[in-house]
Amino acid sequence: PFGTHQRSMGDTQPANLTPMLAQYLGIKAQHPDAILFYRMGDFYEMFFEDALKAAPVLEVQLTCRDRNAENPIPMCGIPHHAAQSYLQKLLEAGLKVALCEQVEDPATAKGIVRREVTRVVTPSLVGDPDLVSEDQRPLLIAICKQAVGFSVASLDQMDSELRAGNLPDERSLLEWLTANRPSEWLIQEEISQASILMAAKSHFPTVAITLRPDYFTGDKPSLGAIKLYLKETQKLESAAIFENPLPLQLPNTLLLDGTTVRSLDIVPISRDQATGHSLFEVIDETKTAMGRRHLKQTLLNPSTDAARIQQRLDAVEDLFESPQLLEELRQRLGTLRDLERLVSKVGLGLAMPRDLLAISCVQKVLPDLTVRLQGCHSDGLQAIGQALNPLELLTDELVRALAEPAPATLRDGGIFQPAYHPEISSLRELSGNAKAQIAAMETSERERTGISSLKIKYSRVFGYTIEISKGQLSKVPSEYIRKQTIANGERYITTALKEFEERAVTAEQRLKTLEAELFLELRAKVALQAEPLLQNARLLAELDLLCSFATLSRKQSYCKPAFHAENHLRIEEGRHPTVEAFLPAGKFVANDLEFSETAGWTWILTGPNMGGKSTVMRQAALTCILAQCGCFVPAKAAYLPILDSVFTRIGSSDDLAQGRSTFMVEMAEISRILEKATPRSLILIDEIGRGTSTYDGLALAWSLLEYTHQEIGAKTFFATHFHEITSLENQMPGVANYHLQVQKWEDSVVFLYRLSKGTCHRSYGIDVAKLAGVPEKVVERAKQIQAVLEGQSQRGTKTRSKALGITQNQLDFFGPA
């Protein structure tokens, strides 16, 4: 129904262009890639192409301006007070929104009201934490190609975390992108079509913005681009809160690449993919949003610093053995708002009165926490207690200043306590008692003049006036000033009434103006303390993490692991933390694991499908990861080395977007492992070589096992159905065979999930197929064929194969038994 020029304005101007629309188009031209929320009174309006794009996403009615014109202008709108929910929809659709506000009072404006874009909301620069879930991490990154490698910077605006550094090549960049999953990225024109970006986009949704070359300047060009983009979109005079970047990659952390994180299901890949079965979801006992995010980042970046790990373990033990203290701390933590994101709102100039009140509530808890923590035995808990900064002067002023409950916005009024400023009390009394004072004045004037019909009324045009009916006009005092004739009488004003009106009507506005000024001053004081406040937030997150680990360990009977400087690893009666959580208590079958000179450094793991091979491998990896996070572990005892990396090659997947088959993906992952693994790595390899011919796969698996054992020397699980490989136990010292036990019972199999030394020479695939519901006819035929193939070297093979309809060519394909 709309003319084509409204879909893409270009240089074309509609014939029905008004001054307001001219202003709109001028502002829109400055933000062509954003939906413009154009403030008109109590609504944000969208016009032209923005309306056509936004209406279906927002699920609002698309209407038009000048419906009877030759080219009606498409438009839609949303209530200003409900903008938050609509913003969320646009952000989830990957769109940017420019908030265009009225920056002068419409009542006093001469001509069209002046409007300006005050902030641009993007998928990564959301600003208001209420627009994203507390565990989301909207990440902005910038990428700049250099002579060698890439300059990369990232900004987590919600947590006020800025990082910068260099990555050596495209492979490292892709791994970093996959692990961090940015919401939005800034790139140079020359790399806008680079294959690395196309590959990353195929892994996760994101918004890419190509910037001019002058954005990428200085020693750290990507860092400069982020800071400039931040100031432009958020309209900040200063971005001091984001001035000090951290390293791009955390030092002294266990290497867990994106493939390993996915294979071990350490955290949900995205909010939409949360199933409740990830390690993070199963072990999370945190009480604050800060702690939850900290737990997730800790699981993704376990420590390799022995002293740091031990300090955490000792703190968890302290809490583990003090259940009353643990519960008291958790109760305190459960009352706290998200200090990290509150401080971010302050730094961005978005914090409202209730946000500052929430900051003061957090700060008021700190002295009590400090006393409790300094009485603990462990150095880690004592250190947190000593480092918490009460910021007495700021906290006292916030407590003294802010009313409770605090209003959500500045225009609501009632921000401050009456004693905070001498004018507040008198202005409140004047504006709040206006009706009572008018009623008293009305009664007084009736008695003084003897006019029984006298009424004092208020209108927006004339303000307060005294209304007197025609029958009593003769009694009007001489000091009354006639203002207006009405149908039933006259309206008058008096000097006293006008003075009262000036005081009463302006008092409310003066009060709101005064409170707004005082609030901005108070917010600026809080902003000056952003760094110590953020430090407090991180300390509280760490305390929440330790309390979470202790609570989990008590609930699930975890043990404190012991670390040593050697390379051997022993876990007694180890359990899988996630699988165990979904089984009845005591039903999980625990197993002992050991990597050592006597038990072997490379385990060839055989056993039936569904027999538990993957569970055993994964539980070993997850136990090491939890331990290096500083958590107790699901075992009777654990004696562990500090690993530098965990690598996995588990499961089948392809990458059709990049034209890579399942086997190609498998080989790429193996290549990554062989390149980066060290003697202090833990490697999990499951079913390598199954995507090609039998001999190709067997040869690759055999060669790979030899290389990881002899050249790398890592602790390696090698699960396989190529039973020929088990012969390496007798050929290579340090290679050992282990299997998962299974028993045949009548015509089915029973999985025992018990790990034993030695080899399982059957895979029981047909039995598993039967359990999975494969039709009986298919199962029986498979058994017949299996019998022929397994017995082909025996006398009578040709006769049996002929009876089963298997040709000699088909038989020869499998080679000798």
Side-chain angles (χ1 to χ4, degrees):
F2 306 110
T4 56
H5 70 276
Q6 276 104 5
R7 291 184 174 273
S8 180
M9 290 299 300
D11 297 327
T12 307
Q13 300 292 339
N16 47 346
L17 185 66
T18 63
M20 184 276 293
L21 284 174
Q23 182 192 60
Y24 171 90
L25 291 171
I27 296 172
K28 173 64 182 176
Q30 299 171 27
H31 302 275
D33 59 342
I35 301 292
L36 185 64
F37 271 23
Y38 183 80
R39 182 73 179 273
M40 295 180 69
D42 291 333
F43 285 82
Y44 282 123
E45 302 289 355
M46 288 149 276
F47 300 96
F48 304 108
E49 186 178 1
D50 280 1
L52 295 170
K53 184 186 296 183
V57 176
L58 299 176
E59 298 178 308
V60 298
Q61 181 66 44
L62 180 66
T63 181
C64 62
R65 188 181 179 94
D66 298 335
R67 183 175 297 276
N68 297 323
E70 180 180 354
N71 286 308
I73 298 170
M75 65 178 290
C76 66
I78 61 164
H80 170 263
H81 64 84
Q84 180 171 307
S85 61
Y86 293 103
L87 274 172
Q88 281 178 312
K89 292 182 178 181
L90 293 173
L91 291 174
E92 288 171 0
L95 298 171
K96 297 166 62 177
V97 180
L99 299 175
C100 180
E101 304 289 356
Q102 297 174 170
V103 293
E104 65 176 334
D105 187 349
T108 59
K110 296 180 180 179
I112 189 168
V113 177
R114 188 162 59 89
R115 294 176 173 87
E116 293 178 1
V117 170
T118 57
R119 185 163 57 99
V120 179
V121 182
T122 79
S124 66
L125 300 179
V126 179
D128 187 349
D130 295 335
L131 291 176
V132 297
S133 68
E134 61 184 19
D135 59 345
Q136 259 188 299
R137 193 168 177 255
L139 197 67
L140 172 69
I141 67 163
I143 307 172
C144 176
K145 185 157 180 50
Q146 298 185 303
V148 177
F150 298 86
S151 166
V152 180
S154 70
L155 172 67
D156 180 352
Q157 185 197 43
M158 292 289 95
D159 296 340
S160 307
E161 183 181 279
L162 182 64
R163 295 186 176 277
N166 295 300
L167 294 172
D169 49 40
E170 285 198 356
R171 188 172 187 171
S172 300
L173 176 58
L174 180 56
E175 287 181 1
W176 187 89
L177 290 172
T178 304
N180 288 275
R181 300 179 63 83
S183 301
E184 184 177 11
W185 48 12
L186 312 173
I187 55 177
Q188 299 166 299
E189 178 65 38
E190 53 263 42
I191 63 170
S192 61
Q193 299 301 318
S195 60
I196 182 69
L197 301 183
M198 300 302 106
K201 285 183 182 181
S202 71
H203 283 80
F204 50 86
T206 190
V207 177
I209 300 169
T210 304
L211 298 178
R212 301 187 310 269
D214 56 299
Y215 274 75
F216 297 90
T217 57
D219 295 333
K220 296 180 178 178
S222 291
L223 183 61
I226 277 191
K227 287 186 176 181
L228 184 56
Y229 185 72
L230 179 67
K231 289 183 178 181
E232 284 185 355
T233 57
Q234 306 305 294
K235 309 300 178 184
L236 296 176
E237 293 182 5
S238 171
I241 195 171
F242 303 110
E243 284 300 325
N244 301 312
L246 298 169
L248 189 65
Q249 296 177 305
L250 293 174
N252 303 318
T253 55
L254 178 70
L255 175 59
L256 301 172
D257 60 18
T259 299
T260 302
V261 170
R262 287 193 303 274
S263 297
L264 297 179
D265 208 4
I266 294 175
V267 299
I269 299 302
S270 69
R271 183 176 53 166
D272 296 335
Q273 293 176 317
T275 62
H277 295 164
S278 70
L279 179 66
F280 166 74
E281 293 166 287
V282 166
I283 72 167
D284 179 19
E285 295 284 350
T286 57
K287 302 293 284 186
T288 70
M290 300 174 284
R292 253 184 303 286
R293 290 193 300 274
H294 185 39
L295 171 60
K296 184 177 288 187
Q297 290 307 305
T298 300
L299 289 173
L300 292 172
N301 300 279
S303 180
T304 57
D305 183 330
R308 174 69 173 140
I309 295 169
Q310 196 60 49
Q311 185 182 62
R312 266 192 183 158
L313 289 171
D314 291 345
V316 172
E317 183 178 42
D318 200 349
L319 295 168
F320 184 98
E321 295 177 349
S322 308
Q324 183 176 347
L325 173 64
L326 174 60
E327 186 55 35
E328 289 172 356
L329 291 174
R330 281 167 56 79
Q331 287 178 358
R332 284 289 192 183
L333 290 167
T335 66
L336 304 184
R337 286 271 308 276
D338 192 339
L339 185 57
E340 277 180 328
R341 295 195 169 181
L342 290 169
V343 176
S344 176
K345 289 181 76 171
V346 170
L348 294 166
L350 299 174
M352 289 292 109
R354 65 182 180 187
D355 299 317
L356 296 196
L357 181 62
I359 291 175
S360 75
C361 290
V362 174
Q363 286 296 121
K364 284 191 295 184
V365 172
L366 300 191
D368 177 63
L369 284 178
T370 296
V371 171
R372 291 172 183 269
L373 294 173
Q374 288 183 344
C376 292
H377 300 296
S378 64
D379 292 341
L381 293 177
Q382 289 182 12
I384 293 174
Q386 292 166 2
L388 286 171
N389 189 339
L391 294 170
E392 292 95 341
L393 293 178
L394 177 65
T395 304
D396 288 347
E397 182 165 6
L398 290 174
V399 171
R400 182 169 53 87
L402 297 167
E404 293 190 49
T409 67
L410 298 186
R411 65 177 180 276
D412 294 332
I415 299 171
F416 293 99
Q417 296 190 41
Y420 184 63
H421 190 278
E423 264 193 276
I424 290 178
S425 182
S426 59
L427 288 172
R428 265 192 203 151
E429 184 178 356
L430 187 58
S431 62
N433 295 334
K435 288 185 179 180
Q437 292 181 56
I438 284 294
M441 186 182 293
E442 187 178 82
T443 300
S444 174
E445 285 299 295
R446 282 178 184 171
E447 293 175 352
R448 186 176 73 84
T449 62
I451 303 173
S452 59
S453 64
L454 183 150
K455 295 180 180 178
I456 300 179
K457 294 187 175 181
Y458 179 80
S459 71
R460 295 182 65 181
V461 176
F462 295 104
Y464 284 105
T465 58
I466 300 172
E467 289 188 9
I468 300 176
S469 62
K470 289 180 179 180
Q472 294 189 309
L473 291 178
S474 61
K475 297 181 181 180
V476 172
S478 60
E479 68 269 21
Y480 278 27
I481 303 169
R482 191 172 67 84
K483 188 71 174 177
Q484 182 190 22
T485 300
I486 56 177
N488 297 322
E490 299 285 345
R491 284 177 174 167
Y492 298 86
I493 59 171
T494 66
T495 301
L497 184 62
K498 293 311 291 181
E499 289 175 353
F500 170 81
E501 178 183 328
E502 185 174 341
R503 293 195 309 273
V505 173
T506 60
E508 185 174 357
Q509 185 57 48
R510 168 60 186 154
L511 178 60
K512 287 186 176 182
T513 301
L514 174 62
E515 286 203 306
E517 291 171 353
L518 292 173
F519 177 77
L520 293 179
E521 291 175 5
L522 185 61
R523 188 169 70 185
K525 291 179 182 178
V526 177
L528 292 174
Q529 301 296 331
E531 275 303 319
L533 284 170
L534 282 174
Q535 179 63 15
N536 283 344
R538 289 160 187 152
L539 290 166
L540 290 170
E542 176 71 9
L543 178 60
D544 196 11
L545 176 82
L546 297 173
C547 289
S548 175
F549 284 166
T551 303
L552 168 75
S553 301
R554 289 186 63 85
K555 284 184 177 181
Q556 301 297 333
S557 300
Y558 285 10
C559 77
K560 183 181 181 181
F563 282 94
H564 53 76
E566 304 301 322
N567 203 20
H568 64 272
L569 177 156
R570 188 169 89 252
I571 300 171
E572 297 178 9
E573 297 184 18
R575 311 180 316 264
H576 192 298
T578 306
V579 175
E580 180 184 39
F582 292 92
L583 292 176
K587 290 297 184 181
F588 187 91
V589 178
N591 280 294
D592 295 343
L593 299 169
E594 183 176 355
F595 286 98
S596 65
E597 291 291 344
T598 55
W601 298 109
T602 297
W603 281 30
I604 301 177
L605 198 55
T606 54
N609 288 294
M610 297 293 295
K613 297 190 299 297
S614 291
T615 299
V616 166
M617 292 193 298
R618 285 181 166 97
Q619 76 186 44
L622 293 177
T623 296
C624 293
I625 288 168
L626 280 175
Q628 290 188 217
C629 288
C631 183
F632 285 16
V633 298
K636 181 181 179 180
Y639 307 92
L640 307 173
I642 292 180
L643 303 176
D644 62 13
S645 52
V646 176
F647 294 104
T648 65
R649 160 79 288 280
I650 299 174
S652 299
S653 63
D654 54 28
D655 187 354
L656 297 179
Q658 294 299 304
R660 301 198 304 172
S661 67
T662 300
F663 184 71
M664 182 61 179
V665 170
E666 184 179 281
M667 291 300 104
E669 291 177 358
I670 286 297
S671 174
R672 166 184 55 87
I673 293 171
L674 300 184
E675 176 188 349
K676 295 191 173 182
T678 75
R680 300 196 73 87
S681 298
L682 177 63
I683 301 176
L684 281 57
I685 297 176
D686 192 10
E687 301 304 332
I688 196 71
R690 285 293 176 179
T692 183
S693 73
T694 302
Y695 290 142
D696 272 0
L698 174 58
L700 280 168
W702 192 304
S703 176
L704 171 64
L705 188 145
E706 288 182 343
Y707 187 91
T708 57
H709 184 73
Q710 295 176 327
E711 302 296 328
I712 299 175
K715 290 168 284 295
T716 303
F717 282 106
F718 197 94
T720 185
H721 287 287
F722 291 131
H723 296 122
E724 296 86 345
I725 295 178
T726 60
S727 64
L728 288 175
E729 182 184 51
N730 300 320
Q731 302 173 32
M732 299 171 62
V735 173
N737 291 328
Y738 291 85
H739 71 282
L740 274 298
Q741 294 179 10
V742 63
Q743 281 186 349
K744 288 288 289 185
W745 179 258
E746 295 180 350
D747 197 31
S748 62
V749 293
V750 178
F751 302 120
L752 302 181
Y753 306 113
R754 181 67 63 190
L755 188 65
S756 295
K757 195 77 171 65
T759 302
C760 178
H761 293 287
R762 294 192 61 188
S763 296
Y764 296 95
I766 297 175
D767 299 277
V768 174
K770 180 179 179 180
L771 290 174
V774 172
E776 187 66 27
K777 187 174 181 179
V778 175
V779 171
E780 289 305 315
R781 174 60 174 168
K783 287 181 178 179
Q784 293 173 343
I785 297 171
Q786 182 188 44
V788 172
L789 298 177
E790 289 180 346
Q792 63 179 284
S793 62
Q794 302 173 10
R795 184 177 297 177
T797 294
K798 291 185 178 180
T799 303
R800 288 198 301 275
S801 64
K802 183 176 181 181
L804 292 174
I806 301 175
T807 67
Q808 185 61 48
N809 285 340
Q810 289 173 323
L811 198 61
D812 291 343
F813 172 79
F814 293 94

